[in-house]
Amino acid sequence: HQEPAMSDIDTDTAVAAYTVALCDFPELPSRERTAAEGRYARVLERQLGGPEGVAETLAAVQRLQDGDEVPEGTDAMAIVNRWARAAVAARTAGMQGLGESEGAYFDVRIG
């Protein structure tokens, strides 16, 4: 009996922890947009501890922005600063080689 190869396992049921979209860069070809979004995501994950770390950090930042209660012992400024540093590094990687486009940004959403 042989175990199925990883490529044979149904991956359609996997749900992304977050999504990245490069916005307001209309002249960029789809292939380059996808590559830029991938670079952005890889740097975010490296900085924040994988897909779950990205989603957890973003959720915490959003709760703080909404004025929700911060759990006891949570350093709100540390969370915001960690996200900000990761987002700047990810934007630099994502935009690498694309040139500048006025107003272009990466939109990150949970789920």
PDB file of all heavy atoms in Angstrom, residues 20-25 28 35-45 47 83-108:
ATOM      1  N   VAL A  20      -3.706  38.863   0.018  1.00  0.00           N
ATOM      2  CA  VAL A  20      -2.986  40.090  -0.317  1.00  0.00           C
ATOM      3  C   VAL A  20      -3.410  40.497  -1.723  1.00  0.00           C
ATOM      4  O   VAL A  20      -3.461  39.656  -2.620  1.00  0.00           O
ATOM      5  CB  VAL A  20      -1.456  39.870  -0.310  1.00  0.00           C
ATOM      6  CG1 VAL A  20      -0.724  41.109  -0.815  1.00  0.00           C
ATOM      7  CG2 VAL A  20      -0.973  39.490   1.070  1.00  0.00           C
ATOM      8  N   ALA A  21      -3.719  41.773  -1.899  1.00  0.00           N
ATOM      9  CA  ALA A  21      -4.056  42.283  -3.228  1.00  0.00           C
ATOM     10  C   ALA A  21      -3.319  43.595  -3.454  1.00  0.00           C
ATOM     11  O   ALA A  21      -3.354  44.485  -2.601  1.00  0.00           O
ATOM     12  CB  ALA A  21      -5.558  42.502  -3.345  1.00  0.00           C
ATOM     13  N   LEU A  22      -2.631  43.695  -4.582  1.00  0.00           N
ATOM     14  CA  LEU A  22      -1.985  44.943  -4.980  1.00  0.00           C
ATOM     15  C   LEU A  22      -3.051  45.802  -5.652  1.00  0.00           C
ATOM     16  O   LEU A  22      -3.650  45.392  -6.641  1.00  0.00           O
ATOM     17  CB  LEU A  22      -0.819  44.674  -5.925  1.00  0.00           C
ATOM     18  CG  LEU A  22      -0.077  45.900  -6.476  1.00  0.00           C
ATOM     19  CD1 LEU A  22       0.415  46.807  -5.359  1.00  0.00           C
ATOM     20  CD2 LEU A  22       1.085  45.454  -7.350  1.00  0.00           C
ATOM     21  N   CYS A  23      -3.313  46.961  -5.096  1.00  0.00           N
ATOM     22  CA  CYS A  23      -4.403  47.827  -5.563  1.00  0.00           C
ATOM     23  C   CYS A  23      -3.862  49.114  -6.189  1.00  0.00           C
ATOM     24  O   CYS A  23      -2.775  49.567  -5.845  1.00  0.00           O
ATOM     25  CB  CYS A  23      -5.311  48.184  -4.392  1.00  0.00           C
ATOM     26  SG  CYS A  23      -5.998  46.745  -3.564  1.00  0.00           S
ATOM     27  N   ASP A  24      -4.662  49.696  -7.057  1.00  0.00           N
ATOM     28  CA  ASP A  24      -4.369  50.979  -7.700  1.00  0.00           C
ATOM     29  C   ASP A  24      -3.058  50.982  -8.486  1.00  0.00           C
ATOM     30  O   ASP A  24      -2.292  51.936  -8.444  1.00  0.00           O
ATOM     31  CB  ASP A  24      -4.388  52.127  -6.675  1.00  0.00           C
ATOM     32  CG  ASP A  24      -5.791  52.400  -6.167  1.00  0.00           C
ATOM     33  OD1 ASP A  24      -6.758  51.881  -6.766  1.00  0.00           O
ATOM     34  OD2 ASP A  24      -5.927  53.118  -5.183  1.00  0.00           O
ATOM     35  N   PHE A  25      -2.822  49.887  -9.195  1.00  0.00           N
ATOM     36  CA  PHE A  25      -1.678  49.775 -10.103  1.00  0.00           C
ATOM     37  C   PHE A  25      -2.231  49.145 -11.385  1.00  0.00           C
ATOM     38  O   PHE A  25      -1.867  48.033 -11.768  1.00  0.00           O
ATOM     39  CB  PHE A  25      -0.602  48.889  -9.478  1.00  0.00           C
ATOM     40  CG  PHE A  25       0.797  49.139  -9.963  1.00  0.00           C
ATOM     41  CD1 PHE A  25       1.854  49.101  -9.080  1.00  0.00           C
ATOM     42  CD2 PHE A  25       1.079  49.398 -11.296  1.00  0.00           C
ATOM     43  CE1 PHE A  25       3.163  49.311  -9.506  1.00  0.00           C
ATOM     44  CE2 PHE A  25       2.375  49.608 -11.741  1.00  0.00           C
ATOM     45  CZ  PHE A  25       3.412  49.562 -10.843  1.00  0.00           C
ATOM     46  N   LEU A  28      -0.318  47.343 -14.463  1.00  0.00           N
ATOM     47  CA  LEU A  28       0.554  46.204 -14.178  1.00  0.00           C
ATOM     48  C   LEU A  28      -0.065  44.905 -14.710  1.00  0.00           C
ATOM     49  O   LEU A  28      -1.211  44.597 -14.400  1.00  0.00           O
ATOM     50  CB  LEU A  28       0.772  46.089 -12.664  1.00  0.00           C
ATOM     51  CG  LEU A  28       1.830  45.107 -12.207  1.00  0.00           C
ATOM     52  CD1 LEU A  28       3.215  45.554 -12.685  1.00  0.00           C
ATOM     53  CD2 LEU A  28       1.819  44.984 -10.696  1.00  0.00           C
ATOM     54  N   ALA A  35       3.108  38.015  -8.842  1.00  0.00           N
ATOM     55  CA  ALA A  35       4.462  37.867  -8.307  1.00  0.00           C
ATOM     56  C   ALA A  35       4.719  38.878  -7.190  1.00  0.00           C
ATOM     57  O   ALA A  35       5.302  38.540  -6.154  1.00  0.00           O
ATOM     58  CB  ALA A  35       5.496  38.032  -9.420  1.00  0.00           C
ATOM     59  N   ALA A  36       4.272  40.116  -7.367  1.00  0.00           N
ATOM     60  CA  ALA A  36       4.447  41.154  -6.350  1.00  0.00           C
ATOM     61  C   ALA A  36       3.685  40.796  -5.073  1.00  0.00           C
ATOM     62  O   ALA A  36       4.204  40.936  -3.962  1.00  0.00           O
ATOM     63  CB  ALA A  36       3.971  42.506  -6.885  1.00  0.00           C
ATOM     64  N   GLU A  37       2.466  40.307  -5.224  1.00  0.00           N
ATOM     65  CA  GLU A  37       1.669  39.904  -4.062  1.00  0.00           C
ATOM     66  C   GLU A  37       2.330  38.741  -3.331  1.00  0.00           C
ATOM     67  O   GLU A  37       2.341  38.689  -2.098  1.00  0.00           O
ATOM     68  CB  GLU A  37       0.252  39.528  -4.510  1.00  0.00           C
ATOM     69  CG  GLU A  37      -0.535  40.726  -5.004  1.00  0.00           C
ATOM     70  CD  GLU A  37      -1.792  40.385  -5.781  1.00  0.00           C
ATOM     71  OE1 GLU A  37      -2.003  39.193  -6.154  1.00  0.00           O
ATOM     72  OE2 GLU A  37      -2.565  41.317  -6.062  1.00  0.00           O
ATOM     73  N   GLY A  38       2.937  37.826  -4.087  1.00  0.00           N
ATOM     74  CA  GLY A  38       3.647  36.695  -3.485  1.00  0.00           C
ATOM     75  C   GLY A  38       4.867  37.146  -2.702  1.00  0.00           C
ATOM     76  O   GLY A  38       5.118  36.666  -1.589  1.00  0.00           O
ATOM     77  N   ARG A  39       5.629  38.083  -3.269  1.00  0.00           N
ATOM     78  CA  ARG A  39       6.809  38.611  -2.550  1.00  0.00           C
ATOM     79  C   ARG A  39       6.363  39.288  -1.258  1.00  0.00           C
ATOM     80  O   ARG A  39       6.978  39.119  -0.211  1.00  0.00           O
ATOM     81  CB  ARG A  39       7.577  39.603  -3.428  1.00  0.00           C
ATOM     82  CG  ARG A  39       8.335  38.975  -4.570  1.00  0.00           C
ATOM     83  CD  ARG A  39       9.276  39.951  -5.258  1.00  0.00           C
ATOM     84  NE  ARG A  39       8.622  41.132  -5.779  1.00  0.00           N
ATOM     85  CZ  ARG A  39       8.135  41.248  -7.016  1.00  0.00           C
ATOM     86  NH1 ARG A  39       8.220  40.234  -7.852  1.00  0.00           N
ATOM     87  NH2 ARG A  39       7.578  42.378  -7.413  1.00  0.00           N
ATOM     88  N   TYR A  40       5.306  40.087  -1.346  1.00  0.00           N
ATOM     89  CA  TYR A  40       4.781  40.792  -0.178  1.00  0.00           C
ATOM     90  C   TYR A  40       4.391  39.786   0.917  1.00  0.00           C
ATOM     91  O   TYR A  40       4.792  39.925   2.072  1.00  0.00           O
ATOM     92  CB  TYR A  40       3.567  41.629  -0.595  1.00  0.00           C
ATOM     93  CG  TYR A  40       3.028  42.527   0.488  1.00  0.00           C
ATOM     94  CD1 TYR A  40       3.422  43.853   0.574  1.00  0.00           C
ATOM     95  CD2 TYR A  40       2.110  42.065   1.419  1.00  0.00           C
ATOM     96  CE1 TYR A  40       2.925  44.691   1.554  1.00  0.00           C
ATOM     97  CE2 TYR A  40       1.607  42.893   2.405  1.00  0.00           C
ATOM     98  CZ  TYR A  40       2.017  44.200   2.466  1.00  0.00           C
ATOM     99  OH  TYR A  40       1.523  45.021   3.444  1.00  0.00           O
ATOM    100  N   ALA A  41       3.640  38.764   0.528  1.00  0.00           N
ATOM    101  CA  ALA A  41       3.172  37.765   1.491  1.00  0.00           C
ATOM    102  C   ALA A  41       4.339  37.011   2.132  1.00  0.00           C
ATOM    103  O   ALA A  41       4.338  36.777   3.349  1.00  0.00           O
ATOM    104  CB  ALA A  41       2.218  36.784   0.805  1.00  0.00           C
ATOM    105  N   ARG A  42       5.348  36.639   1.327  1.00  0.00           N
ATOM    106  CA  ARG A  42       6.487  35.893   1.883  1.00  0.00           C
ATOM    107  C   ARG A  42       7.218  36.704   2.949  1.00  0.00           C
ATOM    108  O   ARG A  42       7.605  36.178   3.990  1.00  0.00           O
ATOM    109  CB  ARG A  42       7.459  35.487   0.772  1.00  0.00           C
ATOM    110  CG  ARG A  42       7.030  34.235   0.031  1.00  0.00           C
ATOM    111  CD  ARG A  42       8.126  33.714  -0.873  1.00  0.00           C
ATOM    112  NE  ARG A  42       8.533  34.661  -1.899  1.00  0.00           N
ATOM    113  CZ  ARG A  42       7.874  34.868  -3.033  1.00  0.00           C
ATOM    114  NH1 ARG A  42       6.763  34.220  -3.289  1.00  0.00           N
ATOM    115  NH2 ARG A  42       8.320  35.734  -3.919  1.00  0.00           N
ATOM    116  N   VAL A  43       7.407  37.991   2.706  1.00  0.00           N
ATOM    117  CA  VAL A  43       8.107  38.824   3.688  1.00  0.00           C
ATOM    118  C   VAL A  43       7.242  39.003   4.939  1.00  0.00           C
ATOM    119  O   VAL A  43       7.746  38.914   6.063  1.00  0.00           O
ATOM    120  CB  VAL A  43       8.531  40.181   3.086  1.00  0.00           C
ATOM    121  CG1 VAL A  43       9.063  41.116   4.149  1.00  0.00           C
ATOM    122  CG2 VAL A  43       9.584  39.951   2.007  1.00  0.00           C
ATOM    123  N   LEU A  44       5.948  39.228   4.768  1.00  0.00           N
ATOM    124  CA  LEU A  44       5.064  39.335   5.943  1.00  0.00           C
ATOM    125  C   LEU A  44       5.166  38.071   6.788  1.00  0.00           C
ATOM    126  O   LEU A  44       5.293  38.146   8.009  1.00  0.00           O
ATOM    127  CB  LEU A  44       3.602  39.504   5.512  1.00  0.00           C
ATOM    128  CG  LEU A  44       3.029  40.889   5.324  1.00  0.00           C
ATOM    129  CD1 LEU A  44       1.527  40.800   5.097  1.00  0.00           C
ATOM    130  CD2 LEU A  44       3.336  41.828   6.456  1.00  0.00           C
ATOM    131  N   GLU A  45       5.096  36.914   6.135  1.00  0.00           N
ATOM    132  CA  GLU A  45       5.145  35.648   6.866  1.00  0.00           C
ATOM    133  C   GLU A  45       6.477  35.445   7.564  1.00  0.00           C
ATOM    134  O   GLU A  45       6.528  34.959   8.698  1.00  0.00           O
ATOM    135  CB  GLU A  45       4.848  34.479   5.918  1.00  0.00           C
ATOM    136  CG  GLU A  45       3.401  34.468   5.481  1.00  0.00           C
ATOM    137  CD  GLU A  45       3.074  33.370   4.490  1.00  0.00           C
ATOM    138  OE1 GLU A  45       3.916  32.451   4.299  1.00  0.00           O
ATOM    139  OE2 GLU A  45       1.976  33.418   3.918  1.00  0.00           O
ATOM    140  N   GLN A  47       8.410  37.779   8.669  1.00  0.00           N
ATOM    141  CA  GLN A  47       8.499  38.742   9.769  1.00  0.00           C
ATOM    142  C   GLN A  47       7.549  38.411  10.928  1.00  0.00           C
ATOM    143  O   GLN A  47       7.845  38.718  12.070  1.00  0.00           O
ATOM    144  CB  GLN A  47       8.162  40.148   9.257  1.00  0.00           C
ATOM    145  CG  GLN A  47       9.089  40.672   8.196  1.00  0.00           C
ATOM    146  CD  GLN A  47      10.206  41.514   8.750  1.00  0.00           C
ATOM    147  OE1 GLN A  47      10.059  42.134   9.780  1.00  0.00           O
ATOM    148  NE2 GLN A  47      11.321  41.540   8.076  1.00  0.00           N
ATOM    149  N   TRP A  83       3.616  45.153  13.254  1.00  0.00           N
ATOM    150  CA  TRP A  83       2.901  45.135  11.981  1.00  0.00           C
ATOM    151  C   TRP A  83       3.483  46.179  11.029  1.00  0.00           C
ATOM    152  O   TRP A  83       3.708  45.899   9.854  1.00  0.00           O
ATOM    153  CB  TRP A  83       1.404  45.377  12.186  1.00  0.00           C
ATOM    154  CG  TRP A  83       0.692  45.421  10.870  1.00  0.00           C
ATOM    155  CD1 TRP A  83       0.346  46.526  10.163  1.00  0.00           C
ATOM    156  CD2 TRP A  83       0.307  44.310  10.068  1.00  0.00           C
ATOM    157  NE1 TRP A  83      -0.244  46.168   8.970  1.00  0.00           N
ATOM    158  CE2 TRP A  83      -0.280  44.813   8.888  1.00  0.00           C
ATOM    159  CE3 TRP A  83       0.399  42.928  10.242  1.00  0.00           C
ATOM    160  CZ2 TRP A  83      -0.774  43.978   7.892  1.00  0.00           C
ATOM    161  CZ3 TRP A  83      -0.098  42.095   9.242  1.00  0.00           C
ATOM    162  CH2 TRP A  83      -0.673  42.626   8.084  1.00  0.00           C
ATOM    163  N   ALA A  84       3.711  47.386  11.543  1.00  0.00           N
ATOM    164  CA  ALA A  84       4.211  48.481  10.701  1.00  0.00           C
ATOM    165  C   ALA A  84       5.575  48.122  10.093  1.00  0.00           C
ATOM    166  O   ALA A  84       5.793  48.325   8.894  1.00  0.00           O
ATOM    167  CB  ALA A  84       4.300  49.777  11.494  1.00  0.00           C
ATOM    168  N   ARG A  85       6.471  47.587  10.902  1.00  0.00           N
ATOM    169  CA  ARG A  85       7.803  47.196  10.396  1.00  0.00           C
ATOM    170  C   ARG A  85       7.679  46.109   9.335  1.00  0.00           C
ATOM    171  O   ARG A  85       8.333  46.160   8.290  1.00  0.00           O
ATOM    172  CB  ARG A  85       8.696  46.706  11.535  1.00  0.00           C
ATOM    173  CG  ARG A  85       9.308  47.811  12.371  1.00  0.00           C
ATOM    174  CD  ARG A  85      10.395  47.287  13.294  1.00  0.00           C
ATOM    175  NE  ARG A  85       9.959  46.180  14.137  1.00  0.00           N
ATOM    176  CZ  ARG A  85       9.376  46.318  15.322  1.00  0.00           C
ATOM    177  NH1 ARG A  85       9.162  47.513  15.829  1.00  0.00           N
ATOM    178  NH2 ARG A  85       9.018  45.257  16.018  1.00  0.00           N
ATOM    179  N   ALA A  86       6.838  45.109   9.596  1.00  0.00           N
ATOM    180  CA  ALA A  86       6.660  44.015   8.644  1.00  0.00           C
ATOM    181  C   ALA A  86       6.038  44.523   7.340  1.00  0.00           C
ATOM    182  O   ALA A  86       6.454  44.124   6.257  1.00  0.00           O
ATOM    183  CB  ALA A  86       5.789  42.913   9.260  1.00  0.00           C
ATOM    184  N   ALA A  87       5.062  45.426   7.450  1.00  0.00           N
ATOM    185  CA  ALA A  87       4.386  45.952   6.259  1.00  0.00           C
ATOM    186  C   ALA A  87       5.332  46.783   5.398  1.00  0.00           C
ATOM    187  O   ALA A  87       5.280  46.709   4.171  1.00  0.00           O
ATOM    188  CB  ALA A  87       3.162  46.764   6.666  1.00  0.00           C
ATOM    189  N   VAL A  88       6.207  47.552   6.025  1.00  0.00           N
ATOM    190  CA  VAL A  88       7.176  48.355   5.266  1.00  0.00           C
ATOM    191  C   VAL A  88       8.152  47.427   4.531  1.00  0.00           C
ATOM    192  O   VAL A  88       8.423  47.614   3.338  1.00  0.00           O
ATOM    193  CB  VAL A  88       7.927  49.344   6.193  1.00  0.00           C
ATOM    194  CG1 VAL A  88       9.133  49.945   5.493  1.00  0.00           C
ATOM    195  CG2 VAL A  88       6.982  50.437   6.660  1.00  0.00           C
ATOM    196  N   ALA A  89       8.663  46.427   5.221  1.00  0.00           N
ATOM    197  CA  ALA A  89       9.596  45.483   4.589  1.00  0.00           C
ATOM    198  C   ALA A  89       8.901  44.721   3.457  1.00  0.00           C
ATOM    199  O   ALA A  89       9.474  44.510   2.383  1.00  0.00           O
ATOM    200  CB  ALA A  89      10.144  44.510   5.628  1.00  0.00           C
ATOM    201  N   ALA A  90       7.646  44.328   3.684  1.00  0.00           N
ATOM    202  CA  ALA A  90       6.900  43.584   2.677  1.00  0.00           C
ATOM    203  C   ALA A  90       6.604  44.461   1.458  1.00  0.00           C
ATOM    204  O   ALA A  90       6.690  44.003   0.321  1.00  0.00           O
ATOM    205  CB  ALA A  90       5.601  43.049   3.280  1.00  0.00           C
ATOM    206  N   ARG A  91       6.265  45.730   1.682  1.00  0.00           N
ATOM    207  CA  ARG A  91       5.997  46.638   0.561  1.00  0.00           C
ATOM    208  C   ARG A  91       7.257  46.820  -0.281  1.00  0.00           C
ATOM    209  O   ARG A  91       7.196  46.799  -1.513  1.00  0.00           O
ATOM    210  CB  ARG A  91       5.505  47.992   1.064  1.00  0.00           C
ATOM    211  CG  ARG A  91       5.293  48.979  -0.089  1.00  0.00           C
ATOM    212  CD  ARG A  91       4.706  50.306   0.344  1.00  0.00           C
ATOM    213  NE  ARG A  91       4.769  51.290  -0.717  1.00  0.00           N
ATOM    214  CZ  ARG A  91       3.986  51.325  -1.784  1.00  0.00           C
ATOM    215  NH1 ARG A  91       3.060  50.404  -1.954  1.00  0.00           N
ATOM    216  NH2 ARG A  91       4.120  52.265  -2.698  1.00  0.00           N
ATOM    217  N   THR A  92       8.401  46.980   0.377  1.00  0.00           N
ATOM    218  CA  THR A  92       9.662  47.135  -0.347  1.00  0.00           C
ATOM    219  C   THR A  92       9.903  45.915  -1.233  1.00  0.00           C
ATOM    220  O   THR A  92      10.240  46.056  -2.411  1.00  0.00           O
ATOM    221  CB  THR A  92      10.826  47.328   0.641  1.00  0.00           C
ATOM    222  OG1 THR A  92      10.580  48.516   1.405  1.00  0.00           O
ATOM    223  CG2 THR A  92      12.153  47.456  -0.076  1.00  0.00           C
ATOM    224  N   ALA A  93       9.706  44.722  -0.686  1.00  0.00           N
ATOM    225  CA  ALA A  93       9.903  43.494  -1.463  1.00  0.00           C
ATOM    226  C   ALA A  93       8.859  43.371  -2.565  1.00  0.00           C
ATOM    227  O   ALA A  93       9.178  43.019  -3.702  1.00  0.00           O
ATOM    228  CB  ALA A  93       9.834  42.279  -0.545  1.00  0.00           C
ATOM    229  N   GLY A  94       7.615  43.674  -2.248  1.00  0.00           N
ATOM    230  CA  GLY A  94       6.538  43.539  -3.219  1.00  0.00           C
ATOM    231  C   GLY A  94       6.693  44.461  -4.408  1.00  0.00           C
ATOM    232  O   GLY A  94       6.413  44.086  -5.546  1.00  0.00           O
ATOM    233  N   MET A  95       7.137  45.678  -4.164  1.00  0.00           N
ATOM    234  CA  MET A  95       7.259  46.678  -5.228  1.00  0.00           C
ATOM    235  C   MET A  95       8.580  46.578  -5.985  1.00  0.00           C
ATOM    236  O   MET A  95       8.765  47.268  -6.988  1.00  0.00           O
ATOM    237  CB  MET A  95       7.102  48.087  -4.649  1.00  0.00           C
ATOM    238  CG  MET A  95       5.738  48.368  -4.043  1.00  0.00           C
ATOM    239  SD  MET A  95       4.366  48.196  -5.203  1.00  0.00           S
ATOM    240  CE  MET A  95       4.571  49.703  -6.148  1.00  0.00           C
ATOM    241  N   GLN A  96       9.481  45.724  -5.533  1.00  0.00           N
ATOM    242  CA  GLN A  96      10.809  45.591  -6.144  1.00  0.00           C
ATOM    243  C   GLN A  96      10.703  45.322  -7.645  1.00  0.00           C
ATOM    244  O   GLN A  96      10.016  44.405  -8.083  1.00  0.00           O
ATOM    245  CB  GLN A  96      11.561  44.453  -5.463  1.00  0.00           C
ATOM    246  CG  GLN A  96      12.982  44.300  -5.924  1.00  0.00           C
ATOM    247  CD  GLN A  96      13.694  43.220  -5.124  1.00  0.00           C
ATOM    248  OE1 GLN A  96      13.139  42.602  -4.242  1.00  0.00           O
ATOM    249  NE2 GLN A  96      14.943  43.004  -5.472  1.00  0.00           N
ATOM    250  N   GLY A  97      11.343  46.166  -8.414  1.00  0.00           N
ATOM    251  CA  GLY A  97      11.394  45.990  -9.854  1.00  0.00           C
ATOM    252  C   GLY A  97      10.173  46.492 -10.609  1.00  0.00           C
ATOM    253  O   GLY A  97      10.129  46.408 -11.827  1.00  0.00           O
ATOM    254  N   LEU A  98       9.178  47.016  -9.904  1.00  0.00           N
ATOM    255  CA  LEU A  98       7.954  47.456 -10.574  1.00  0.00           C
ATOM    256  C   LEU A  98       7.950  48.943 -10.886  1.00  0.00           C
ATOM    257  O   LEU A  98       7.108  49.411 -11.625  1.00  0.00           O
ATOM    258  CB  LEU A  98       6.726  47.147  -9.699  1.00  0.00           C
ATOM    259  CG  LEU A  98       6.475  45.686  -9.353  1.00  0.00           C
ATOM    260  CD1 LEU A  98       5.202  45.566  -8.535  1.00  0.00           C
ATOM    261  CD2 LEU A  98       6.401  44.835 -10.601  1.00  0.00           C
ATOM    262  N   GLY A  99       8.869  49.682 -10.267  1.00  0.00           N
ATOM    263  CA  GLY A  99       8.804  51.134 -10.398  1.00  0.00           C
ATOM    264  C   GLY A  99       7.732  51.646  -9.448  1.00  0.00           C
ATOM    265  O   GLY A  99       7.055  50.878  -8.787  1.00  0.00           O
ATOM    266  N   GLU A 100       7.572  52.919  -9.394  1.00  0.00           N
ATOM    267  CA  GLU A 100       6.572  53.488  -8.493  1.00  0.00           C
ATOM    268  C   GLU A 100       5.294  53.785  -9.249  1.00  0.00           C
ATOM    269  O   GLU A 100       5.308  54.191 -10.401  1.00  0.00           O
ATOM    270  CB  GLU A 100       7.098  54.775  -7.846  1.00  0.00           C
ATOM    271  CG  GLU A 100       8.012  54.525  -6.665  1.00  0.00           C
ATOM    272  CD  GLU A 100       7.364  53.715  -5.545  1.00  0.00           C
ATOM    273  OE1 GLU A 100       6.221  54.017  -5.133  1.00  0.00           O
ATOM    274  OE2 GLU A 100       7.998  52.756  -5.087  1.00  0.00           O
ATOM    275  N   SER A 101       4.205  53.557  -8.588  1.00  0.00           N
ATOM    276  CA  SER A 101       2.890  53.919  -9.111  1.00  0.00           C
ATOM    277  C   SER A 101       2.206  54.721  -8.016  1.00  0.00           C
ATOM    278  O   SER A 101       1.984  54.213  -6.918  1.00  0.00           O
ATOM    279  CB  SER A 101       2.083  52.673  -9.464  1.00  0.00           C
ATOM    280  OG  SER A 101       0.809  53.051  -9.932  1.00  0.00           O
ATOM    281  N   GLU A 102       1.917  55.962  -8.312  1.00  0.00           N
ATOM    282  CA  GLU A 102       1.290  56.857  -7.349  1.00  0.00           C
ATOM    283  C   GLU A 102       0.028  56.216  -6.772  1.00  0.00           C
ATOM    284  O   GLU A 102      -0.869  55.830  -7.508  1.00  0.00           O
ATOM    285  CB  GLU A 102       0.920  58.176  -8.041  1.00  0.00           C
ATOM    286  CG  GLU A 102       0.436  59.250  -7.100  1.00  0.00           C
ATOM    287  CD  GLU A 102       1.557  59.960  -6.369  1.00  0.00           C
ATOM    288  OE1 GLU A 102       2.687  59.964  -6.893  1.00  0.00           O
ATOM    289  OE2 GLU A 102       1.289  60.493  -5.295  1.00  0.00           O
ATOM    290  N   GLY A 103       0.012  56.066  -5.465  1.00  0.00           N
ATOM    291  CA  GLY A 103      -1.181  55.568  -4.802  1.00  0.00           C
ATOM    292  C   GLY A 103      -1.311  54.054  -4.734  1.00  0.00           C
ATOM    293  O   GLY A 103      -2.253  53.546  -4.143  1.00  0.00           O
ATOM    294  N   ALA A 104      -0.388  53.296  -5.339  1.00  0.00           N
ATOM    295  CA  ALA A 104      -0.483  51.838  -5.281  1.00  0.00           C
ATOM    296  C   ALA A 104      -0.234  51.374  -3.847  1.00  0.00           C
ATOM    297  O   ALA A 104       0.588  51.936  -3.133  1.00  0.00           O
ATOM    298  CB  ALA A 104       0.531  51.199  -6.224  1.00  0.00           C
ATOM    299  N   TYR A 105      -0.990  50.355  -3.437  1.00  0.00           N
ATOM    300  CA  TYR A 105      -0.833  49.824  -2.087  1.00  0.00           C
ATOM    301  C   TYR A 105      -1.231  48.353  -2.056  1.00  0.00           C
ATOM    302  O   TYR A 105      -1.906  47.857  -2.951  1.00  0.00           O
ATOM    303  CB  TYR A 105      -1.667  50.615  -1.075  1.00  0.00           C
ATOM    304  CG  TYR A 105      -3.168  50.518  -1.311  1.00  0.00           C
ATOM    305  CD1 TYR A 105      -3.927  49.605  -0.579  1.00  0.00           C
ATOM    306  CD2 TYR A 105      -3.806  51.291  -2.244  1.00  0.00           C
ATOM    307  CE1 TYR A 105      -5.294  49.486  -0.796  1.00  0.00           C
ATOM    308  CE2 TYR A 105      -5.166  51.196  -2.466  1.00  0.00           C
ATOM    309  CZ  TYR A 105      -5.912  50.281  -1.736  1.00  0.00           C
ATOM    310  OH  TYR A 105      -7.254  50.166  -1.956  1.00  0.00           O
ATOM    311  N   PHE A 106      -0.788  47.671  -1.004  1.00  0.00           N
ATOM    312  CA  PHE A 106      -1.148  46.269  -0.795  1.00  0.00           C
ATOM    313  C   PHE A 106      -2.248  46.220   0.241  1.00  0.00           C
ATOM    314  O   PHE A 106      -2.115  46.772   1.328  1.00  0.00           O
ATOM    315  CB  PHE A 106       0.065  45.459  -0.320  1.00  0.00           C
ATOM    316  CG  PHE A 106       1.090  45.249  -1.394  1.00  0.00           C
ATOM    317  CD1 PHE A 106       2.135  46.136  -1.569  1.00  0.00           C
ATOM    318  CD2 PHE A 106       1.005  44.150  -2.239  1.00  0.00           C
ATOM    319  CE1 PHE A 106       3.079  45.955  -2.560  1.00  0.00           C
ATOM    320  CE2 PHE A 106       1.952  43.958  -3.242  1.00  0.00           C
ATOM    321  CZ  PHE A 106       2.994  44.848  -3.390  1.00  0.00           C
ATOM    322  N   ASP A 107      -3.338  45.546  -0.096  1.00  0.00           N
ATOM    323  CA  ASP A 107      -4.469  45.377   0.805  1.00  0.00           C
ATOM    324  C   ASP A 107      -4.380  43.965   1.375  1.00  0.00           C
ATOM    325  O   ASP A 107      -4.345  42.993   0.620  1.00  0.00           O
ATOM    326  CB  ASP A 107      -5.778  45.572   0.033  1.00  0.00           C
ATOM    327  CG  ASP A 107      -6.992  45.466   0.934  1.00  0.00           C
ATOM    328  OD1 ASP A 107      -6.939  45.937   2.077  1.00  0.00           O
ATOM    329  OD2 ASP A 107      -8.005  44.873   0.482  1.00  0.00           O
ATOM    330  N   VAL A 108      -4.321  43.860   2.695  1.00  0.00           N
ATOM    331  CA  VAL A 108      -4.238  42.556   3.363  1.00  0.00           C
ATOM    332  C   VAL A 108      -5.522  42.356   4.143  1.00  0.00           C
ATOM    333  O   VAL A 108      -5.926  43.230   4.915  1.00  0.00           O
ATOM    334  CB  VAL A 108      -3.021  42.490   4.322  1.00  0.00           C
ATOM    335  CG1 VAL A 108      -2.896  41.116   4.936  1.00  0.00           C
ATOM    336  CG2 VAL A 108      -1.742  42.889   3.595  1.00  0.00           C
TER     337      VAL A 108
END
